[in-house]
Structures are given as C-alpha cells and as structure tokens.
Amino acid sequence: KKGEDGTSLRSRFFPNLLECFWMDIKKCEEEGYNRDQLVYFERMVELMIDLMSQLSTRRFFKYVLLDTHFTTLCKLLALSRDLEEGALFRKLLDILEFYETFEIDDQQGSALTAKQRIGDHYERVAKFQKLLFRFYNKPELRFALNNIGRIDDRDSLKSVMESLSNEELKDLIQKMSLSSLNNKLLASQSKEREILEEIIIGHLEKRESQMEKINKLPLYPSEDIVWDYD
C-alpha cells in the first residue's frame, strides 16, 4: 500500500495540516482564544506565506490553498474581525492574499501581461455566465447575460446569487471547479450562505492590478504614510 512507504502521507501532509487548523480554529471560535493559540494560528499563516512566496513551492501548494479557500474563510472568522487580538492575524492574511493573487505565471515564473490578466478574468466570468444560462435559466438571472464589465463587481455578483439556493450555489461551485467542498469548515459552518457567496465573489470579482495600485500611491509621502507604524 502507498501508506506503507510514506507516499500517501507525504502527498496528504498539507491537506491534513489545513484540516487540523480548521478543527482547532473552529473550537477556538466557539470557546475563545488564548495567547498560545493565537501565536499558533499566526505562525500557520506565516507558513502559508512562505510557501506561496517561493516559486518552487507555490506552483504546487497554491492549488491546495485555493481548493480550501483558506484566505476567504479566514477573513470570515471572528478572530479576523477582532480589532485588538486579531490585528496581526488580519495583516498576515492580507500579505497571504497579496501572494495568492500575485500576477505571475506559476510554472514559468514570468510576469503576466495586462492582456493575459484581463483575458483570464473574462474567461472566468464567461464560464460563470454560461453555467447560469445552461443550468439555472431563471428570469431573474438574465442580468447575468449582460456584458462582463457590468457584473464583475461585488454588488452585481451578490444580486445575481440572491435567486439561488444554498444547494444551487454548492452545485455551481463544483461545476466551476472551485472547490471539492470536502473540508470540515464548510461542512460545519453556521454561516454557510455567506461562505458560499464569498467563494464565488472571490473568484469572479475584478481586482486592481499591481500597476493600478502603484499608480494610486502619492508621489511624495503623506502624513498617513509618515505616521503609519504598521
């Protein structure tokens, strides 16, 4: 058997590690956090950042991370919304999200051009539109057949999903190959609807490119930047 020579254990190491993380953090969400647990969760996110920031591990680990929707689900935790205890955890999540959406070819290591980036985005939204038309052809979903520029923002996507049930959203996520939906956090969450919507929005929402973010920065430092010690 594969388990006897360690092959299965090695291939399942990170999925099992993430599963243990979700089990621990779910328990803490119900019972409260102590300092040691906070440090453990923060170090786990640091590990994810290290794996995503290096091309040699990123090209393999990224798909494990995307399948579990680690960043999206972590941002819905009470810990992420705690302004004091969750401050560092939230900042680390922002760094992880930066690397997760970094505009780079994971196999070649070359930067994506604006044409490639926009093309990938349009392809994802077009697939979403085709699935809605084929499997959920309701009158209220005709809005989804508009041009992509009108439906790729958060508010528009939420309005499209309002007419779909939780089971239809799960089915849609699987048809879009976004998740196996096997991780225990999804199966045991009380905020199931919010999670399902955030998974789809996170995949389809139009994001600012790195160049657009850089162009928005002031030429000279403002007071906010000078006095920001973070």
Side-chain angles (χ1 to χ4, degrees):
K1 294 180 180 179
K2 288 185 177 181
E4 293 178 355
D5 61 7
T7 304
S8 179
L9 290 175
R10 288 195 296 271
S11 64
R12 290 291 305 168
F13 176 77
F14 283 112
N16 289 341
L17 183 65
L18 288 172
E19 188 173 304
C20 290
F21 173 88
W22 293 127
M23 291 173 62
D24 292 338
I25 208 166
K26 179 181 180 293
K27 183 179 179 181
C28 292
E29 287 278 295
E30 297 172 352
E31 301 176 1
Y33 296 85
N34 60 47
R35 183 56 194 163
D36 291 337
Q37 291 167 334
L38 281 174
V39 171
Y40 160 62
F41 297 136
E42 290 163 1
R43 295 296 174 268
M44 273 290 295
V45 179
E46 285 184 3
L47 173 61
M48 306 298 114
I49 292 171
D50 289 340
L51 292 170
M52 288 294 288
S53 62
Q54 301 177 66
L55 191 61
S56 57
T57 51
R58 173 190 177 87
R59 58 168 59 102
F60 304 108
F61 181 69
K62 179 181 177 181
Y63 300 100
V64 176
L65 199 67
L66 291 178
D67 185 63
T68 57
H69 300 281
F70 185 88
T71 308
T72 300
L73 297 179
C74 279
K75 287 192 170 184
L76 297 177
L77 296 171
L79 176 61
S80 300
R81 301 174 182 182
D82 190 313
L83 297 180
E84 294 183 4
E85 287 189 340
L88 178 57
F89 184 77
R90 188 169 57 254
K91 290 174 186 175
L92 290 171
L93 283 179
D94 289 338
I95 296 172
L96 179 60
E97 186 176 32
F98 169 80
Y99 283 114
E100 188 178 308
T101 59
F102 199 77
E103 298 156 8
I104 190 173
D105 186 299
D106 296 325
Q107 302 303 319
Q108 304 297 327
S110 56
L112 296 179
T113 64
K115 184 177 180 180
Q116 289 173 316
R117 180 179 58 79
I118 295 173
D120 290 343
H121 170 67
Y122 277 25
E123 185 178 339
R124 291 193 297 269
V125 180
K127 181 179 180 180
F128 173 68
Q129 290 178 301
K130 290 176 182 177
L131 288 172
L132 286 178
F133 182 78
R134 181 177 179 183
F135 297 103
Y136 317 98
N137 192 12
K138 303 177 182 180
E140 58 268 31
L141 290 177
R142 297 294 171 87
F143 173 74
L145 300 180
N146 286 322
N147 64 75
I148 292 175
R150 292 187 60 185
I151 65 168
D152 62 354
D153 61 272
R154 173 173 288 271
D155 292 337
S156 299
L157 290 170
K158 282 184 75 71
S159 67
V160 168
M161 290 183 286
E162 283 178 355
S163 59
L164 297 175
S165 66
N166 287 7
E167 292 304 316
E168 287 174 326
L169 288 178
K170 287 180 183 179
D171 184 55
L172 181 59
I173 286 172
Q174 291 184 314
K175 283 183 169 62
M176 294 172 69
S177 304
L178 294 185
S179 176
S180 60
L181 292 178
N182 288 327
N183 66 78
K184 292 187 177 181
L185 186 70
L186 273 176
S188 60
Q189 266 286 343
S190 57
K191 299 180 180 179
E192 184 181 59
R193 179 79 186 188
E194 185 179 6
I195 290 174
L196 295 172
E197 288 182 353
E198 286 299 321
I199 288 175
I200 295 175
I201 290 172
H203 181 67
L204 299 175
E205 187 179 17
K206 186 177 181 181
R207 301 176 184 272
E208 280 188 322
S209 68
Q210 299 295 333
M211 186 59 66
E212 289 171 338
K213 291 179 181 178
I214 292 172
N215 288 336
K216 285 186 176 181
L217 294 174
L219 184 60
Y220 299 102
S222 62
E223 286 190 6
D224 292 336
I225 296 175
V226 171
W227 296 104
D228 185 1
Y229 293 106
D230 295 332

